[in-house]
Amino acid sequence: KSQKEWFDPTLPGIKPPQGHLHLVTQAIEDIANIFSRIGFTRARYPEVDWDYFAFEALNMPADHPARDEWETLFVEQEANAKMGKVVLTPHTSNGQVREMLRVDSKPPIRMINIAKCYRRQQDITHAIMFHQFEGLVIDKGITISHLKGTLDYFVKEFYGPDRETRLRPFHFQFTEPSFEVDINCAVCLGKGEVKGVKCRTCK
């Protein structure tokens, strides 16, 4: 055979490409890095926790609808006399309680918690498990302006410099004041049209 056809079967194989991080993992790292640049520390707390941290310490009374077994996933385990039942956390707010206990509620606190949450409502657009992140800031002189500035900074860093936020007053039972946060459309940037054609994304 000619030199061109020669092949050494003992040569190591060609390694396949390694791929990349899962998109959720990548998003979590990006979000944590953005908030770290403005002084937040990422904390991680249990995703299987006591009723006390998920509800009681957040002032959700025993007859609150969220504590119904049709809304929350309870773990089959003997209840604790003080802490109550064990639940799959329906939100990340148990982390706020645990963080304040950890630092004895001494400000300043700048914490971000990114974790899985579990709720029994599921349909074609909602899964029984989803990711949620929230921040906690406790310090002297903190105002809604700080919240607005933090949200604006995050949105521009995560979604792009042309994105903007809007706070809309909204009623949530256990927080006051409360807001819904809107972000302008990624396609038309809130103009309502693209090259004279009505935006089909935000309509």
Side-chain angles (χ1 to χ4, degrees), residues 61-137:
D63 60 350
H64 190 277
R67 297 174 76 163
D68 189 290
E69 290 189 355
W70 289 105
E71 298 292 330
T72 299
L73 295 162
F74 288 86
V75 177
E76 288 188 3
Q77 180 176 321
E78 186 176 346
N80 180 282
K82 180 181 177 182
M83 299 294 184
K85 297 179 180 180
V86 176
V87 301
L88 300 184
T89 51
H91 47 232
T92 52
S93 298
N94 65 314
Q96 292 191 23
V97 179
R98 286 184 173 275
E99 180 71 4
M100 286 187 283
L101 286 173
R102 184 182 73 81
V103 300
D104 198 22
S105 297
K106 293 177 181 176
I109 298 173
R110 282 195 183 99
M111 178 271 284
I112 184 170
N113 183 20
I114 308 173
K116 295 173 185 170
C117 301
Y118 306 84
R119 296 182 188 173
R120 295 191 66 161
Q121 312 99 323
Q122 62 177 332
D123 54 36
I124 196 167
T125 61
H126 295 83
I128 202 164
M129 184 279 289
F130 59 95
H131 285 80
Q132 186 179 73
F133 82 91
E134 66 178 270
L136 173 68
V137 175

Side-chain angles (χ1 to χ4, degrees), residues 9-21:
T10 63
L11 288 173
I14 299 172
K15 293 183 178 180
Q18 286 188 324
H20 58 81
L21 292 173

Side-chain angles (χ1 to χ4, degrees), residues 15 17 33 38 47-48 51-52 57 79 85 92 94 99-100 105 122 124 128 147 156 159 171 196-197 200:
K15 293 183 178 180
N33 288 335
I38 53 175
E47 294 169 5
V48 180
D51 175 291
Y52 174 80
K85 297 179 180 180
T92 52
N94 65 314
E99 180 71 4
M100 286 187 283
S105 297
Q122 62 177 332
I124 196 167
I128 202 164
L147 172 64
K156 289 180 185 298
Y159 294 108
H171 174 72
V197 179
R200 295 194 304 178

Side-chain angles (χ1 to χ4, degrees), residues 133-151:
F133 82 91
E134 66 178 270
L136 173 68
V137 175
I138 300 176
D139 205 351
K140 295 178 180 178
I142 295 297
T143 68
I144 296 300
S145 297
H146 293 96
L147 172 64
K148 173 65 172 163
T150 302
L151 292 171

